[in-house]
Amino acid sequence: MRETELANESGTALEVLERVFGYALFRGHQAEVIDAVVGGASALVLMPTGGGKSLCYQIPAMLRSGVGVVVSPLIALMQDQVAALRQAGVKAAYLNSSLEWGEALEVEHDLVDGKLDLLYVAPERLLSGRLMDLLGRVRVALFAIDEAHCVSQWGHDFRPEYQQLGVLGERFPDVPRLALTATADERTRGDIVACLGLEGAQRFVSGFDRPNLRYHVTLRTSARQQLLEFLGRFGRNDAGIVYCLSRRKVDETAAWLREKGYRALAYHAGLDGAVRSEHQARFLRDEGVIIVATIAFGMGIDKPNVRFVAHLDLPKSMEAYYQETGRAGRDGLPSEVWMAYGLSDVVQLRGMIDGSEAGLEQKRIERQKLESLLGYAETVACRRRVLLRYFGDDPEERCGNCDNCLNPQTLIEQPEATELAQKALSCVYRTGQRYGAGYIADVLVGAKDERIERNGHDAVSTYGVGKDRSKASWMGVVRQLVSGGWLTVDGEYGSLVLTESSRAVMRGEVEIPLRPEPERKKRARGERRDRGGAGAKVLEGDKDQALFERLREARLVLAREQAVPPYVILHDATLVALAKARPGSLTELGHVHGIGATKLERYGERLLEVIGAAG
Ligand code: ADP
Ligand code: ZN
């Protein structure tokens, strides 16, 4: 019998993992999910980005007889996945609108002839009568619905076609269905289950942690200089994303980075479609490209070796922040995420919410979401902990891999902090709630300033009460008061105004937590940038790093020959493993992480040459 033969040939899940993908161990819930699905069960799988969702359906599709049908919303993603699978020797294909009619027909033939282990399809294609009929005639191993949160209107990526996927359960009641996503709160989860008929399915929920990401948040003093310092931690072949709020800032930042010698490209909705695709393609295809983008960039970018994500402006919510930063380090290698923010972000984002067309309830939700993000930005606690708790996880007190854990900060002690807050609020009140943060700070430190004298504010009781602190530290107090909602900024004039909750502070009824402002580093000219331990340099030794770069070059050549992105050929993690282990024979090479049988055959000799030449 063909079927049992196939089953024997494929072996166990672990054997497939090793032989096809070149990995030694399953991660997280992978083994359990695969077991359940191979056994015919349906499942709901929540795993963070980079957690390894794909193997959860790819391996069962290979182990069960018939074709595994994968529903994926994004064409670029599909193409990459299929290219990567083919590199590993898996019989995979896709059907979407990018194919010529003849090409699509060929795929359909292969499908009917039982030649495919995996078929990737766009939802609307799957639901077309034609493909449904074809699938009715072949054996289907499973349906995998990737990015399953797209079924939900509450999610951020609602796609109406997804809601019709419920018919799969009706048409194919005996075929296991897997819904997979990286982001799903309770409500979205409920929608997925209801919509896809997964009431009886097993649930596998992993935490949201991305342990290989190092989180940094910094106060914006001189954005460009700070960005340069951050970028200085990476090598010229490291790719990353820089997010900005406005298109203009994207264009300017990209141009400026190019002047500084970086391969930086802009990406936003205002660019011509062809330019956008070209920039995206270069990001995927070449090494070391930095994309400067508005949030329009990223959906469906599955590039695993993004080494950093920088935010020059605050995103709108923790969800957006988590998703955007999540694009770094999918391959599990150390990666850095960094954000610079200041009072103007708070003012700008609040203004955008207030001025939007949204209804009252919607605005209330958006304001709350922004508050959470501001809380994250201002915290002295472990960033990871704040982030994960927001998503319902309960991690350790300290992660050891965020700025606050690495350089612990402590809050200003009480009652001092509350007294500082009172002084600032009182100064805002005494000067008539008509001025911005800079002016208030000047009054507090008792600056000799013509405007202050003209206004007679050198005579108010708060003039000079804060002269023991710097102007910057008072600006910090004001910013934190605004972040926490104890002050607001008038949208039109930018003046600070007291709020409902300011009163309780003035009366001493609440304690205000304040963190000290970080000292501004004055860097001597010509001082070397910090490339030290904090960086994401992947290898310790210089010789290993050099070999890694050589391997990267060789990979780029192979990728160009086949017109696929480099990471489809071999992952960075595999190059790292190669540079460390320096295998001397094909057998040794076969044991390296990420080298399966097919890749060994295709690239073994070439890799050994490069390693051999490194001596
Ligand atoms: P997700 O879809 O959950 O974001 P992927 O399925 O793309 O994640 O996997 C992320 C990366 O981790 C990929 O590079 C993949 O090859 C790798 N990976 C997945 N499972 C394993 C494993 N068990 N061992 C080693 N690497 C793995
Ligand atoms: Zn931490």
Side-chain angles (χ1 to χ4, degrees):
M1 284 266 315
R2 202 176 120 75
E3 253 176 61
T4 45
E5 269 170 30
L6 264 180
N8 285 340
E9 197 184 295
S10 345
T12 65
L14 200 59
E15 281 161 20
V16 174
L17 180 73
E18 166 85 71
R19 188 184 70 240
V20 178
F21 297 97
Y23 300 143
L25 293 170
F26 283 114
R27 281 187 190 158
H29 289 127
Q30 280 177 333
E32 292 163 74
V33 177
I34 292 169
D35 257 6
V37 178
V38 169
S42 288
L44 171 63
V45 178
L46 269 86
M47 249 184 216
T49 307
K53 283 182 284 299
S54 323
L55 291 185
C56 293
Y57 54 82
Q58 289 167 348
I59 292 183
M62 286 177 244
L63 289 175
R64 286 175 64 87
S65 66
V67 61
V69 178
V70 185
V71 183
S72 171
L74 296 150
I75 291 178
L77 214 135
M78 247 183 247
Q79 292 172 341
D80 265 14
Q81 287 244 12
V82 168
L85 283 166
R86 289 195 178 152
Q87 287 288 329
V90 180
K91 293 168 284 179
Y94 59 81
L95 279 175
N96 63 36
S97 55
S98 76
L99 291 181
E100 301 282 331
W101 183 74
E103 294 171 316
L105 211 59
E106 226 171 276
V107 173
E108 289 181 3
H109 278 305
D110 286 349
L111 171 67
V112 175
D113 292 346
K115 285 187 187 157
L116 296 178
D117 274 333
L118 279 155
L119 176 66
Y120 284 71
V121 290
E124 57 280 3
R125 187 77 169 223
L126 175 61
L127 296 164
S128 72
R130 181 186 171 87
L131 188 53
M132 280 299 234
D133 287 344
L134 285 179
L135 289 175
R137 285 163 44 199
V138 302
R139 192 163 190 132
V140 180
L142 58 88
F143 287 104
I145 295 119
D146 207 1
E147 314 288 350
H149 58 273
C150 293
V151 304
S152 173
Q153 307 209 32
W154 301 111
H156 43 277
D157 296 325
F158 174 54
R159 289 174 188 244
E161 321 81 80
Y162 258 69
Q163 288 199 325
Q164 293 160 37
L165 293 171
V167 303
L168 294 177
E170 293 154 26
R171 279 285 294 269
F172 303 90
D174 302 326
V175 176
R177 295 186 305 284
L178 260 118
L180 308 105
T181 175
T183 43
D185 55 17
E186 270 306 324
R187 200 165 197 177
T188 310
R189 268 182 235 182
D191 283 355
I192 295 174
V193 167
C195 192
L196 301 177
L198 290 173
E199 288 80 4
Q202 293 196 44
R203 291 184 182 205
F204 299 91
V205 180
S206 314
F208 286 90
D209 191 18
R210 303 285 314 281
N212 62 316
L213 299 190
R214 177 171 289 184
Y215 295 91
H216 307 264
V217 181
T218 179
L219 206 60
R220 195 167 49 226
T221 47
S222 55
R224 288 184 170 182
Q225 195 51 41
Q226 288 172 297
L227 179 63
L228 266 197
E229 266 170 47
F230 173 66
L231 295 179
R233 299 177 190 173
F234 303 91
R236 60 173 275 108
N237 279 324
D238 289 330
I241 307 173
V242 177
Y243 284 109
C244 307
L245 203 54
S246 74
R247 294 173 187 181
R248 209 186 72 187
K249 188 158 166 189
V250 163
D251 288 331
E252 290 172 0
T253 307
W256 173 78
L257 282 175
R258 280 196 299 275
E259 269 170 39
K260 295 281 166 197
Y262 287 93
R263 271 164 280 170
L265 299 171
Y267 191 102
H268 57 68
L271 288 173
D272 185 57
V275 174
R276 246 179 11 219
S277 337
E278 167 62 15
H279 288 182
Q280 173 166 332
R282 279 183 56 193
F283 181 63
L284 300 179
R285 218 175 44 209
D286 296 345
E287 302 274 19
V289 172
I290 297 175
I291 285 278
V292 186
T294 55
I295 46 168
F297 182 77
M299 238 319 244
I301 299 302
D302 230 354
K303 186 179 167 76
N305 54 346
V306 175
R307 287 280 72 85
F308 61 86
V309 169
H311 280 93
L312 287 183
D313 297 295
L314 274 185
K316 291 191 178 67
S317 63
M318 293 285 257
E319 285 87 351
Y321 177 73
Y322 180 77
Q323 199 178 38
E324 286 154 24
T325 54
R327 292 177 181 135
R330 277 171 176 263
D331 55 11
L333 293 178
S335 305
E336 311 235 355
V337 303
W338 177 89
M339 175 165 84
Y341 80 106
L343 180 59
S344 57
D345 292 279
V346 186
V347 175
Q348 192 178 12
L349 287 172
R350 288 231 173 100
M352 278 166 72
I353 295 171
D354 293 342
S356 82
E357 306 275 284
L360 280 181
E361 172 64 8
Q362 183 68 28
K363 283 187 182 178
R364 197 183 58 80
I365 293 174
E366 285 179 17
R367 269 189 215 111
Q368 246 176 32
K369 288 190 181 258
L370 179 58
E371 307 296 276
S372 303
L373 187 72
L374 291 173
Y376 169 81
E378 296 284 3
T379 190
V380 293
C382 170
R383 305 263 182 218
R384 191 179 310 273
R385 181 166 161 85
V386 174
L387 192 61
L388 294 179
R389 283 173 66 107
Y390 180 83
F391 290 108
D393 286 359
D394 187 23
E396 310 267 310
E397 285 287 329
R398 300 231 151 238
C399 74
N401 196 24
C402 73
D403 53 356
N404 285 344
C405 282
L406 293 165
N407 297 303
Q409 312 268 330
T410 43
L411 290 174
I412 298 174
E413 293 198 6
Q414 297 296 353
E416 192 190 354
T418 303
E419 286 164 13
L420 294 174
Q422 287 169 335
K423 284 179 184 165
L425 292 176
S426 157
C427 185
V428 169
Y429 178 72
R430 305 243 169 242
T431 51
Q433 308 186 54
R434 296 213 304 272
Y435 302 93
Y439 187 88
I440 297 298
D442 276 337
V443 175
L444 284 162
V445 297
K448 298 268 170 278
D449 180 274
E450 200 194 322
R451 204 156 66 114
I452 292 176
E453 282 160 25
R454 208 179 335 120
N455 293 333
H457 289 152
D458 50 351
V460 298
S461 59
T462 45
Y463 181 77
V465 291
K467 58 172 166 295
D468 52 333
R469 304 182 84 85
S470 67
K471 177 174 177 183
S473 89
W474 280 113
M475 304 268 286
V477 171
V478 169
R479 189 197 65 255
Q480 293 181 66
L481 289 171
V482 174
S483 294
W486 293 290
L487 275 176
T488 61
V489 178
D490 176 290
E492 208 172 333
Y493 301 105
S495 33
L496 294 165
V497 180
L498 299 179
T499 69
E500 220 21 61
S501 48
S502 322
R503 230 172 293 168
V505 183
M506 305 275 266
R507 286 200 296 257
E509 290 163 9
V510 288
E511 285 198 337
I512 304 295
L514 288 179
R515 60 162 220 218
E517 284 311 277
E519 284 302 308
R520 290 191 192 188
K521 266 197 311 208
K522 288 209 184 70
R523 217 150 44 81
R525 273 217 344 222
E527 187 185 324
R528 244 177 73 91
R529 285 201 209 116
D530 170 24
R531 278 173 193 277
K537 193 176 153 216
V538 288
L539 283 153
E540 294 287 327
D542 285 348
K543 272 183 78 179
D544 290 351
Q545 184 72 28
L547 176 53
F548 174 76
E549 298 299 342
R550 304 311 286 274
L551 289 164
R552 187 135 79 164
E553 284 161 22
R555 175 179 68 173
L556 190 58
V557 173
L558 293 168
R560 292 255 161 86
E561 280 166 15
Q562 301 178 54
V564 292
Y567 52 82
V568 160
I569 305 267
L570 291 170
H571 277 273
D572 284 16
T574 302
L575 302 191
V576 168
L578 286 170
K580 279 189 192 152
R582 297 179 179 243
S585 69
L586 285 174
T587 319
E588 281 173 36
L589 189 61
H591 294 305
V592 172
H593 177 92
I595 306 268
T598 306
K599 291 191 180 172
L600 186 65
E601 194 180 304
R602 284 195 196 170
Y603 308 126
E605 298 291 351
R606 179 78 194 103
L607 294 173
L608 289 179
E609 264 172 43
V610 176
I611 296 164

